[in-house]
Amino acid sequence: MTLFQDPAYNFSVLLALGSSGYGAAEVGEVLTAVNTVNAAGLSAQTYTRTFRRLGDRLMAPPEQGRPGRQTTRFRALRAAQYYGQALFFVLGSDDPGSEERLYRAGRAGWDRFCELTDPRPVKAKVPYGKTPLPVWLFRPEGSKKRRPTVILTNGSDGQDVDMWTYGVSAALERGWNALVYDGPGQGQLLFVDQVVFTPRWEKVVSPIVDWLVARPDVDADQIALTGLSMGGDLAPRAAAFEQRIAALVAMPGCLSPWLGFPPEIREILRPSKAETNAIWNREVVPELSPAEAATMKKRMEPFSVQAMLDARQGRMFTDFYTPAQRVRALDITGVVSRIKAPTLVLDYEFEQFYPGQPREMYEKLTAPKDYVKLTAATGAQLHCSPMAPQQHCEVVFDWLQETLPKR
């Protein structure tokens, strides 16, 4: 499963390749892009340029024939995937200021896909502070029959198209509703509205549950919540305080996203903001390679608007203390025992971001619980099983169907 020697690029492109099973990419397109990047020399610039051009091509009509509705629909979905690939590495390219434009291009692909879906997902804005949350409620058909509904929570750098791969399509195939949303630090709220992550994710999920239970096509007793990647921290936090969640899935379980940062980065954080930032600017930043600098910009932008704006100008942020403290505040170790909903904790062989945390979360849970580790024996290794999302969804939805109250 090695397409690029650099593990960050390799993991990202594996996610794209794996999503082809749900129509959110095309194997030939992805592998051709990989060959193009490798031939030019792997870099943020070549990767971003290659996938942006692929997205541009798919958003335009095909060269041959007149595209039908379904052709246009899935070309747009694949375009959203490829723009997302470019977006992830754009801060390390020679045009970091194009970040918001790239996000908007991917969002346009997602919106076109949704507009051509039958039935079209219900699109709404759910109240949240001063900035409402965009939500998309997908339904298997347009009747008002009350159905089980899954709320799909993304991580710190995923896009809405990822939720199609990791839940929406599988839910619809099983007669479920599926809700996709952008929370603070994600998608529209981050790249356009400039709202960063909050540690109180129940304040994000509870208004969504309010909106769902008021609908005639949602069974209020069968609302599940999943969290992908860092969403495996956010969703459990919400479920610890939102008692209307009937089942929870952490994919993977994550108690502290801060522990996903390298130890040498974590150890510079001091109680004093001035001391921390002095170490950061005088000792750490000058020693960062261009690739390491781009990674830090990307990982901190969901926690600091200033860090994001600096990165778009090609500059390294100078205030490390503030976003680092916001990451630390996401620690949910002390609230996991409050979760009442039956919980499935997923883990992955060779989990590279939160190793050991899924098992630790499972052991701290006091609610009815299950633990499943996906492995290399079936090609489902690595964080979020990037090459096996269909197998991933089979595990999740089989468990949900067994766990939710029967009707």
Side-chain angles (χ1 to χ4, degrees):
M1 293 189 182
T2 302
L3 300 176
F4 294 119
Q5 291 303 315
D6 184 290
Y9 289 93
N10 194 63
F11 175 70
S12 187
V13 84
L14 288 181
L15 284 168
L17 192 61
S19 70
S20 61
Y22 283 113
E26 179 79 290
V27 171
E29 290 171 345
V30 174
L31 293 181
T32 299
V34 168
N35 290 340
T36 300
V37 172
N38 278 328
L42 175 62
S43 67
Q45 181 60 26
T46 58
Y47 193 96
T48 298
R49 180 180 66 234
T50 299
F51 278 99
R52 182 182 63 238
R53 288 177 176 174
L54 185 50
D56 290 344
R57 182 171 67 80
L58 289 170
M59 287 298 283
E63 295 178 1
Q64 69 285 351
R66 300 178 62 183
R69 181 186 183 94
Q70 287 296 89
T71 296
T72 302
R73 177 182 173 226
F74 277 97
R75 282 171 67 92
L77 184 66
R78 301 201 310 274
Q81 171 71 245
Y82 302 144
Y83 284 129
Q85 289 290 318
L87 176 66
F88 189 87
F89 293 102
V90 70
L91 294 180
S93 75
D94 63 3
D95 190 15
S98 66
E99 183 181 52
E100 183 178 338
R101 294 196 301 276
L102 261 179
Y103 165 73
R104 289 182 181 274
R107 172 64 181 273
W110 171 253
D111 285 341
R112 181 181 294 181
F113 170 76
C114 291
E115 289 166 2
L116 297 174
T117 297
D118 186 18
R120 185 181 300 182
V122 177
K123 186 176 178 181
K125 294 182 178 181
V126 171
Y128 174 75
K130 298 180 180 179
T131 310
L133 310 173
V135 304
W136 297 263
L137 178 64
F138 290 81
R139 300 164 298 161
E141 42 88 14
S143 75
K144 293 184 179 180
K145 178 181 177 181
R146 294 191 181 275
R147 296 180 179 274
T149 302
V150 59
I151 302 171
L152 303 168
T153 304
N154 219 328
S156 66
D157 44 43
Q159 300 304 317
D160 296 321
V161 61
D162 300 321
M163 295 296 92
W164 175 262
T165 300
Y166 281 92
V168 175
S169 183
L172 295 177
E173 290 167 357
R174 291 161 174 79
W176 285 47
N177 300 324
L179 184 137
V180 177
Y181 69 102
D182 289 343
Q186 302 172 326
Q188 177 183 313
L189 265 73
L190 174 64
F191 295 113
V192 179
D193 300 327
Q194 300 184 5
V195 180
V196 299
F197 273 115
T198 174
R200 303 185 67 185
W201 207 255
E202 68 277 11
K203 300 293 185 180
V204 180
V205 169
S206 288
I208 293 174
V209 176
D210 290 341
W211 184 79
L212 285 173
V213 300
R215 294 187 57 84
D217 50 5
V218 172
D219 186 334
D221 295 324
Q222 292 188 306
I223 296 177
L225 177 65
T226 69
L228 183 70
S229 190
M230 202 185 82
D233 169 273
L234 304 174
R237 165 71 198 204
F241 296 91
E242 174 48 73
Q243 301 303 312
R244 292 172 292 180
I245 298 301
L248 168 69
V249 186
M251 314 181 308
C254 172
L255 294 173
S256 177
W258 179 238
L259 296 180
F261 283 75
E264 57 270 25
I265 293 297
R266 299 199 310 268
E267 69 183 12
I268 73 172
L269 186 59
R270 303 285 195 274
S272 164
K273 179 177 181 179
E275 183 181 0
T276 297
N277 287 340
I279 297 171
W280 170 251
N281 291 298
R282 295 174 188 172
E283 300 179 22
V284 178
V285 173
E287 298 299 320
L288 294 175
S289 69
E292 290 168 337
T295 297
M296 287 306 302
K297 291 173 185 177
K298 179 63 180 175
R299 296 196 69 179
M300 284 304 193
E301 70 171 354
F303 302 95
S304 167
V305 172
Q306 189 59 54
M308 180 174 68
L309 297 179
D310 286 342
R312 290 177 177 181
Q313 295 295 321
R315 299 190 300 263
M316 176 59 74
F317 55 89
T318 57
D319 179 8
F320 173 84
Y321 179 88
T322 300
Q325 290 287 25
R326 287 173 178 158
V327 181
R328 287 189 65 186
L330 292 174
D331 190 307
I332 61 169
T333 305
V335 302
V336 168
S337 62
R338 297 178 57 118
I339 297 172
K340 299 293 192 297
T343 301
L344 171 63
V345 178
L346 291 190
D347 198 353
Y348 311 97
E349 190 172 10
F350 309 126
E351 163 65 39
Q352 63 269 49
F353 299 112
Y354 309 125
Q357 293 200 47
R359 171 58 71 173
E360 188 177 354
M361 174 182 284
Y362 174 77
E363 292 173 351
K364 289 183 178 297
L365 284 164
T366 57
K369 59 187 179 180
D370 289 288
Y371 170 90
V372 174
K373 189 168 189 175
L374 297 167
T375 71
T378 57
Q381 70 269 36
L382 300 178
H383 183 69
C384 300
S385 300
M387 288 292 286
Q390 293 178 82
Q391 183 184 156
H392 194 279
C393 286
E394 289 166 2
V395 170
V396 170
F397 281 92
D398 285 351
W399 182 86
L400 286 174
Q401 288 176 322
E402 292 176 2
T403 302
L404 285 183
K406 301 297 185 289
R407 288 285 184 254

